Amino acid sequence: MMDFPAGLSALSDRYDVVLCDVWGVIHNGVESFPAACAALTQWAETKGPVVLISNSPRPSYDVVAQLDSLGVPRSAWQGFVTSGDATRALLTPHTGTKVWKIGPERDGPLWAGFDLTLAGPEDADFILCSGLYDDESEVPEDYRDRLKVAADRGLKFICANPDRVVQRGDKLIFCAGALADLYEALGGKVVMAGKPYAAIYDLAVAEAAQLLGRPVDRDRVLCIGDGVITDVKGAHDQKLACLFIAKGIHGETAVGPDGQLIPEAVQALLDAEAVGATHAIGDLVW
């Protein structure tokens, strides 16, 4: 049965490793959350490694500067894996082909070093999507006609970020996962990297084992995240414990006017996706 701990410290005897989501848990794209960063730092100093596990479509090395700029201290994490890392492994078989690349220019490191020729939906060999071209002004429907052309041609759609939406400041913006949903609805084939799929968890557990200097006992791994269909489902499918951060992207549903969690609403969120979390808390605190 899911419990509601007061903070991460209440779970310190049960787990050795934390696999922690990034956006929505330790920052909102505009600023970091000091209490969450302090909680992870305390865990790392007293308990064990923290591996950040993010659906960012860029390689992990390229996201570190963003974390630094938002004030996330290096003491809050020791390892980092991203959906971009998992995506690059999926690109290897496509070397020498033509790609329709959907996403902003800032995601360039995702495909850097691969022999790929940029093309459009009419003549590409496959699609690589890291997001919308302009997530501040566009919505998935803006892509329907172009995606229909690609779906009719049977192109594979590699989705570098399974997130449907993410919180940027106080605004929800669409991510690559929303375009992947539309592509599937049009009859297209989608291959997902990142959470909730196994590849990124395998990378994260391997990173944790290297930090520990020994194999990881998966019964003593705690996943932390705020996305039901990514973080919670990923942990659920991988049979890993999960601390659900209920005030993240689902905050309007899970929190009452007094700022307190509504246990029944939290459970309903999870039940709607047929997943379970081991623990739930409003915000990540020690």
Side-chain angles (χ1 to χ4, degrees):
M1 180 177 292
M2 180 170 57
D3 59 40
F4 296 83
L8 188 58
S9 60
L11 306 177
S12 62
D13 291 339
R14 298 178 59 173
Y15 306 104
D16 300 325
V17 172
V18 160
L19 307 183
C20 188
D21 179 38
V22 178
W23 203 317
V25 176
I26 62 176
H27 75 71
N28 64 2
V30 176
E31 59 187 356
S32 61
F33 303 147
C37 293
L40 294 178
T41 296
Q42 186 72 13
W43 179 278
E45 291 177 348
T46 62
K47 186 60 188 176
V50 174
V51 177
L52 301 182
I53 178 169
S54 168
N55 270 355
S56 169
R58 288 176 285 158
S60 52
Y61 70 81
D62 192 61
V63 188
V64 172
Q66 180 192 34
L67 297 184
D68 291 343
S69 70
L70 293 173
V72 177
R74 295 287 181 98
S75 59
W77 59 276
Q78 291 69 55
F80 193 7
V81 298
T82 67
S83 181
D85 295 330
T87 300
R88 286 180 65 83
L90 295 174
L91 290 180
T92 300
H94 295 279
T95 296
T97 65
K98 293 182 290 185
V99 59
W100 177 26
K101 173 64 186 70
I102 307 174
E105 289 298 321
R106 65 176 179 269
D107 294 337
L110 176 64
W111 67 92
F114 286 96
D115 178 18
L116 296 169
T117 301
L118 297 181
E122 299 84 1
D123 53 358
D125 296 309
F126 76 104
I127 304 166
L128 172 61
C129 180
S130 61
L132 285 67
Y133 292 120
D134 183 355
D135 55 25
E136 290 287 340
S137 63
E138 294 181 320
V139 296
E141 278 298 313
D142 295 332
Y143 292 76
R144 177 178 289 274
D145 291 345
R146 285 168 287 175
L147 290 175
K148 182 68 165 60
V149 171
D152 289 347
R153 294 185 59 226
L155 299 191
K156 179 167 67 176
F157 182 113
I158 296 178
C159 179
N161 177 1
D163 286 352
R164 274 72 174 177
V165 295
V166 72
Q167 193 167 10
R168 180 179 291 157
D170 59 0
K171 180 181 179 182
L172 288 179
I173 62 172
F174 287 104
C175 301
L179 290 180
D181 285 347
L182 176 56
Y183 194 66
E184 283 192 321
L186 293 170
K189 176 186 177 183
V190 172
V191 177
M192 293 282 200
K195 299 174 288 186
Y197 302 94
I200 194 169
Y201 289 93
D202 292 342
L203 287 176
V205 170
E207 181 84 0
Q210 185 173 6
L211 291 165
L212 282 171
R214 59 175 172 80
V216 172
D217 179 353
R218 292 174 71 95
D219 289 336
R220 294 187 63 82
V221 172
L222 177 66
C223 299
I224 301 175
D226 70 323
V228 173
I229 60 177
T230 52
D231 303 303
V232 180
K233 179 172 172 53
H236 180 270
D237 290 351
Q238 296 302 308
K239 297 180 171 55
L240 299 171
C242 180
L243 172 60
F244 174 45
I245 306 301
K247 286 187 180 180
I249 59 174
H250 302 290
E252 290 186 3
T253 302
V255 180
D258 59 357
Q260 299 300 306
L261 289 189
I262 306 172
E264 298 82 3
V266 174
Q267 190 63 58
L269 276 171
L270 304 181
D271 289 346
E273 299 296 335
V275 298
T278 323
H279 321 280
I281 194 171
D283 298 303
L284 181 58
V285 297
W286 180 247

